[in-house]
Amino acid sequence: QNLTVDRNGTLWIGGSRYLTSFDYRTGQFRIFDKKDGITQDGIRYIKEDRNGNLWIAFNSSYVNRLSDSAFTAFDSSHGLFGKKINAILEDSNGNFLFGSREDGIFSFKNEKFFKFPIADMDNVIITTMFEDIEKELWIGSFNGLFRVTPNRTIKYTTAEGLNGNHITIILEDNDRNLWIGTTKGLNRLIKLPDGSIRFENLFNSVS
């Protein structure tokens, strides 16, 4: 997700070396590069936080925060040991979470990162994170979908009905169904009255 629109309507575009903004009010583009203080690396993810700061994750260079027109670089010296951040999420409990490709999930507080403990998530390559309307955390990975509850973490794969194990995106519709995109197609996750779920496979890949 290297495109995002912030609360002011500005479009932010992540490129291979630069961050670009487009202000629809003026019709002007602006390019941010090394001279502006941004880390020089390909951008893999952009996310605005609730305070209006912009977070930029890179291909292999941790993250930057853009706040009040200034970039701050965060890395392992701040407690962040995942160089490749694939997902950023602020949940309803106030946790600000960063999902890494190679070293699990980290929370951010008081300018430091801390490993965020979730059961059964060791050695999981995280691709995306989503909190649904019922405040359940869903985590997509290279090897299945994880549902994080207060008591346990439940994993779903093709054995439970998904059409693929490599999760690419998680979204929720107005009927509270989750839509799970995989490299093999699209799935609708339907929550049943007894608390169980089932997957409806749509747009299955023929390859």
Side-chain angles (χ1 to χ4, degrees):
Q1 183 182 324
N2 55 4
L3 287 173
T4 194
V5 177
D6 69 19
R7 64 189 62 189
N8 297 316
T10 299
L11 172 66
W12 295 89
I13 307 162
S16 59
R17 294 183 61 194
Y18 311 109
L19 175 69
T20 302
S21 67
F22 174 72
D23 188 332
Y24 75 96
R25 294 162 295 192
T26 63
Q28 296 296 310
F29 287 92
R30 179 181 175 183
I31 295 175
F32 299 85
D33 58 20
K34 186 177 181 179
K35 70 177 184 296
D36 299 296
I38 190 172
T39 296
Q40 289 290 279
D41 192 4
I43 294 173
R44 65 192 299 121
Y45 195 88
I46 306 172
K47 174 74 173 180
E48 185 184 27
D49 68 23
R50 65 187 63 181
N51 295 318
N53 302 313
L54 200 70
W55 290 85
I56 304 103
F58 302 95
N59 286 341
S60 59
S61 303
Y62 304 96
V63 297
N64 283 184
R65 180 183 62 199
L66 176 58
S67 179
D68 296 326
S69 302
F71 290 92
T72 301
F74 294 90
D75 56 26
S76 59
S77 68
H78 303 89
L80 180 61
F81 296 100
K83 291 184 176 182
K84 303 174 183 179
I85 301 299
N86 284 339
I88 302 173
L89 172 72
E90 288 185 271
D91 71 16
S92 56
N93 294 319
N95 297 308
F96 193 20
L97 305 178
F98 291 72
S100 74
R101 179 184 171 93
E102 68 280 277
D103 202 24
I105 296 175
F106 295 84
S107 62
F108 180 77
K109 187 176 182 179
N110 298 327
E111 302 297 292
K112 290 287 186 180
F113 288 86
F114 306 89
K115 196 68 179 287
F116 192 72
I118 297 179
D120 304 319
M121 290 293 295
D122 291 338
N123 303 315
V124 172
I125 299 176
I126 295 166
T127 56
T128 188
M129 298 188 295
F130 183 83
E131 185 183 54
D132 67 20
I133 197 168
E134 296 176 354
K135 301 181 180 180
E136 284 192 328
L137 176 62
W138 297 83
I139 300 170
S141 77
F142 271 27
N143 193 33
L145 176 69
F146 294 82
R147 180 184 189 180
V148 181
T149 73
N151 301 316
R152 60 176 178 153
T153 301
I154 307 168
K155 182 179 181 181
Y156 303 98
T157 66
T158 52
E160 286 72 42
L162 280 169
N163 60 12
N165 289 330
H166 183 166
I167 311 300
T168 57
I169 192 169
I170 306 169
L171 296 172
E172 187 172 34
D173 65 24
N174 291 333
D175 295 322
R176 301 188 179 184
N177 298 314
L178 290 184
W179 294 84
I180 315 298
T182 77
T183 55
K184 297 294 185 180
L186 181 65
N187 305 263
R188 181 167 62 177
L189 185 156
I190 301 172
K191 295 183 179 180
L192 302 175
D194 64 0
S196 63
I197 68 171
R198 68 178 177 86
F199 294 100
E200 180 182 7
N201 300 151
L202 304 165
F203 305 115
N204 292 323
S205 171
V206 296
S207 59

